[in-house]
Amino acid sequence: MEAGSSFPEKLQSRCCIAGGGPAGMMLGYLLARAGIDVVVLEKHADFLRDFRGDTLHPSTLESMSELGILEELLKRPHQKISQIRARIGGEDILLGEMSYLRTRCRFMALMPQWDFLDFLAEQGRRYPTFHLRMRTEVTGLIEENGRILGIRGNTPAGAIEVRADLVVGADGRDSRVRDCSGLTVENVGAPMDALQVRLSKHADDPELFFYSDRGKNMVTIDRGDYWHCGFAVPKGAAEKMRARGIEEFRAGIVEIAPFLRDRVTELRDWSDVKLLTVRADRLRKWYRPGLVCIGDAAHAMSPVGGVGINLAIQDAIAAANILAGPLRESAVSTEDLAKIQRRRSFPTRLTQRMQGLIQKQVWRGLGKSEPARPPWPLRLLERTTLPCRMRTRFIAVGIRPEHVRTPDVYK
Ligand SMILES: Cc1cc2nc3c(=O)[nH]c(=O)nc-3n(C[C@H](O)[C@H](O)[C@H](O)COP(=O)(O)OP(=O)(O)OC[C@H]3O[C@@H](n4cnc5c(N)ncnc54)[C@H](O)[C@@H]3O)c2cc1C
C-alpha cells in the first residue's frame, strides 16, 4: 500500500474493502494470503458488539480446514452443536442431525462474532499485504466517468481517500457503499422482528434450539454460561409490547420455555431487551465498473437458520477465487465482477426463499392462543433419514459450497 503525504490522507491499494465484518475480513485475509495488497476499512474501534451472528456452520469450518487454520480457530472459546432440536407444542422434533454430514466438522461452532473476527484479523496480519484500518468510516465513493476509483472516509485524525483498482462493499445491511453506488435494492420482505435477550444458562437446561407454542416462538443459542434468546414478534409490535410492560414479555418467555421461570427477572426492564429489526433484501445487480458488493451489503439476510455469516464467508471465498488473478495483474474487468454475482446469486435467492417460507409459517402462528402442532410435513418426515439429511445439509453446508482456490504465496 502506498501512502501520500498530503491532507486528506491518501492511500493507494489494489483492493479497498469497506467493512470489517465476516465478508470483508475473510476477503481481505484471502487476498493478502494470495499476495495482493488490500486495505480493509472498519468504522468501529474493535469487533466487540453484542447480539450478532455467532453460528459458524460446518461449511465455514470446512473452509477454515482448507486454509489450514481450523485447529487454531477452535482454540477460541466456543460451544459445539451437533443436533438441532426444537420443541413445538410440547413435542420435541429433530430439525438437523450433523452426524449425517460428510464435512470434516460434523457440528456447528457457536463462537462470539468478535472472537471470530479477531481471529481473522490475526491471520491477516501474518501477511505484509494485509492492512486493517480500524476507526475508519467510509462516507462516499470516488467516481470518474462512471467508474468507481476509490472511497472517501473519515478517521479520528481527519479525512482519508483510498484509491484502488477495486472497491468492495462489505459494510453490511446498512451499507454506505451500496447507498452511494446507485445500485438498486429489492426488498424481499420480512414480516417479523426479534427481541433479543440474554438469560443465564444452568447445567440441567434442555439443549433445545427453538421453542414454539400458543403463538410464541423463540430461538435459544447456547453461549456457554448464558442463552442468547431471540423472541419473534410481528413487525412493528415491539412498541406496543413495551407499553404493556416487561412482566407480560417475561411471562411469554416462561410460557414456551418454563425452565427459564427462575431467571426471567434478570430482564430488569426494557433496557435489557434489544430489538432486531429483521430485514431481507438483495441488490438487483451486485456490481458496477470498479465496485462489487458482497455479504449483507449485497443481500441482507433474515436471522432464520443462522446462515448470514456463513453466506458472507462463502461470498468472500467465491470473490477471492474469481478476483485474485485479475487483481494481481491489475486487470479486473466488469465481467469478473459479474461472475461473482452469477456464482453467488442462486444460493442467496434460494436461501432467502426458504427463510421466507419458514418466516411465513412462524408469522401465521404469531399471536394465536391455541396450542401449536408441528407442521404435518415435519411430523411426517422427522424420523425419516433422507429428508433429515437434506434439511441438515441445507442448513449446515448450504447450496453450492465454495472451496478455497487461492494460494498462500508466502509458504
Ligand atoms: C442481531 C443479529 C443476529 C444475527 N444472528 C445470526 C446468526 O446467529 N448466525 C448467522 O449466521 N447470522 C446471523 N445474523 C446475520 C449476520 O450477522 C450477517 O448476515 C453477517 O454478519 C453478514 O456479514 P457481513 O460481513 O456481510 O456484514 P456485517 O457483519 O454487518 O459487517 C459489516 C461491517 O462493516 C462495518 N461498517 C458498516 N458501515 C461502515 C462504514 N460506513 N465504514 C466502515 N465500516 C463500516 C460494520 O461495523 C461491520 O463490522 C444476525 C444478524 C443480526 C443483526
Side-chain angles (χ1 to χ4, degrees):
M1 186 166 63
E2 289 167 35
S5 53
S6 57
F7 196 78
E9 185 186 357
K10 289 188 177 160
L11 303 176
Q12 179 85 41
S13 183
R14 280 286 158 88
C15 180
C16 174
I17 300 173
M25 292 301 292
M26 184 72 180
L27 180 60
Y29 160 58
L30 287 170
L31 293 179
R33 180 176 170 272
I36 293 152
D37 196 82
V38 58
V39 56
V40 182
L41 309 177
E42 167 55 48
K43 69 177 176 184
H44 289 105
D46 54 39
F47 298 118
L48 272 177
R49 282 174 293 289
D50 210 352
F51 294 134
R52 298 194 39 166
D54 295 329
T55 49
L56 300 184
H57 287 194
S59 58
T60 296
L61 301 175
E62 192 77 3
S63 307
M64 296 295 137
S65 166
E66 288 174 3
L67 287 160
I69 54 176
L70 177 67
E71 272 155 33
E72 206 52 42
L73 174 72
L74 293 180
K75 284 183 190 158
R76 302 249 167 168
H78 67 280
Q79 281 72 48
K80 291 187 175 82
I81 287 198
S82 44
Q83 283 189 335
I84 307 174
R85 292 193 158 274
R87 184 164 295 163
I88 305 176
E91 215 173 300
D92 284 5
I93 292 274
L94 179 65
L95 296 179
E97 169 58 70
M98 311 270 173
S99 65
Y100 290 145
L101 295 172
R102 295 214 187 117
T103 46
R104 183 180 159 140
C105 294
R106 293 174 188 180
F107 59 84
M108 200 189 270
L110 300 180
M111 181 178 291
Q113 201 181 111
W114 58 84
D115 273 320
F116 180 56
L117 295 177
D118 252 351
F119 174 76
L120 289 180
E122 193 182 292
Q123 295 303 317
R125 285 193 193 102
R126 291 168 41 211
Y127 300 103
T129 46
F130 179 83
H131 311 282
L132 172 61
R133 299 281 301 245
M134 303 300 285
R135 296 211 285 171
T136 304
E137 178 164 15
V138 173
T139 53
L141 297 170
I142 303 169
E143 181 175 347
E144 265 174 43
N145 303 322
R147 187 179 175 86
I148 305 302
L149 299 178
I151 67 93
R152 291 196 175 84
N154 282 324
T155 73
I160 186 169
E161 270 185 26
V162 185
R163 293 199 172 234
D165 291 357
L166 179 67
V167 169
V168 179
D171 46 347
R173 61 193 202 141
D174 296 312
S175 170
R176 180 83 188 138
V177 168
R178 95 176 178 184
D179 283 354
C180 298
S181 68
L183 295 169
T184 311
V185 183
E186 290 174 344
N187 187 4
V188 181
M192 57 195 194
D193 292 330
L195 296 176
Q196 306 201 78
V197 299
R198 44 158 97 196
L199 291 170
S200 54
K201 182 172 181 271
H202 298 174
D204 53 352
D205 287 348
E207 296 289 336
L208 294 167
F209 198 71
F210 181 63
Y211 295 83
S212 175
D213 203 4
R214 296 177 189 271
K216 298 183 177 66
N217 297 274
M218 185 170 71
V219 172
T220 45
I221 301 175
D222 181 358
R223 296 280 297 264
D225 53 352
Y226 69 93
W227 294 105
H228 170 173
C229 309
F231 191 94
V233 294
K235 204 152 217 51
E239 263 319 300
K240 285 185 195 143
M241 289 179 71
R242 269 199 197 108
R244 291 200 297 269
I246 192 78
E247 293 78 16
E248 190 179 310
F249 177 53
R250 287 186 195 143
I253 295 178
V254 173
E255 196 178 334
I256 45 172
F259 71 96
L260 294 171
R261 184 183 302 280
D262 58 353
R263 56 209 107 142
V264 278
T265 46
E266 288 170 14
L267 306 175
R268 293 158 304 171
D269 53 43
W270 286 103
S271 65
D272 291 327
V273 183
K274 181 154 193 269
L275 171 67
L276 164 64
T277 308
V278 176
R279 220 164 68 203
D281 62 30
R282 58 184 172 242
L283 286 176
R284 197 168 290 162
K285 207 167 138 197
W286 296 18
Y287 61 91
R288 37 175 301 197
L291 168 76
V292 67
C293 291
I294 60 169
D296 272 18
H299 46 75
M301 303 302 291
S302 143
V304 170
V307 292
I309 299 173
N310 305 282
L311 232 64
I313 294 286
Q314 298 284 306
D315 281 5
I317 296 171
N321 288 345
I322 293 167
L323 294 172
L327 274 171
R328 198 172 295 115
E329 307 297 319
S330 213
V332 177
S333 67
T334 308
E335 176 51 24
D336 293 322
L337 306 180
K339 272 188 205 159
I340 300 172
Q341 178 170 1
R342 281 204 294 276
R343 175 91 200 152
R344 297 303 306 156
S345 175
F346 174 65
T348 303
R349 296 174 86 92
L350 194 59
T351 308
Q352 286 184 328
R353 175 104 191 101
M354 295 302 284
Q355 289 183 318
L357 291 173
I358 296 168
Q359 278 175 177
K360 219 181 244 171
Q361 189 76 34
V362 170
W363 181 76
R364 272 204 207 111
L366 284 180
K368 284 193 178 160
S369 53
E370 65 265 29
R373 296 207 72 199
W376 69 264
L378 203 56
R379 294 164 64 84
L380 189 71
L381 300 176
E382 192 225 342
R383 275 162 239 287
T384 335
T385 307
L386 188 64
C388 187
R389 268 179 201 258
M390 287 165 66
R391 254 192 335 261
T392 307
R393 200 184 142 77
F394 181 77
I395 299 170
V397 181
I399 302 143
R400 198 179 275 167
E402 303 292 341
H403 296 283
V404 177
R405 312 251 182 249
T406 44
D408 182 344
V409 297
Y410 297 93
K411 255 192 176 163

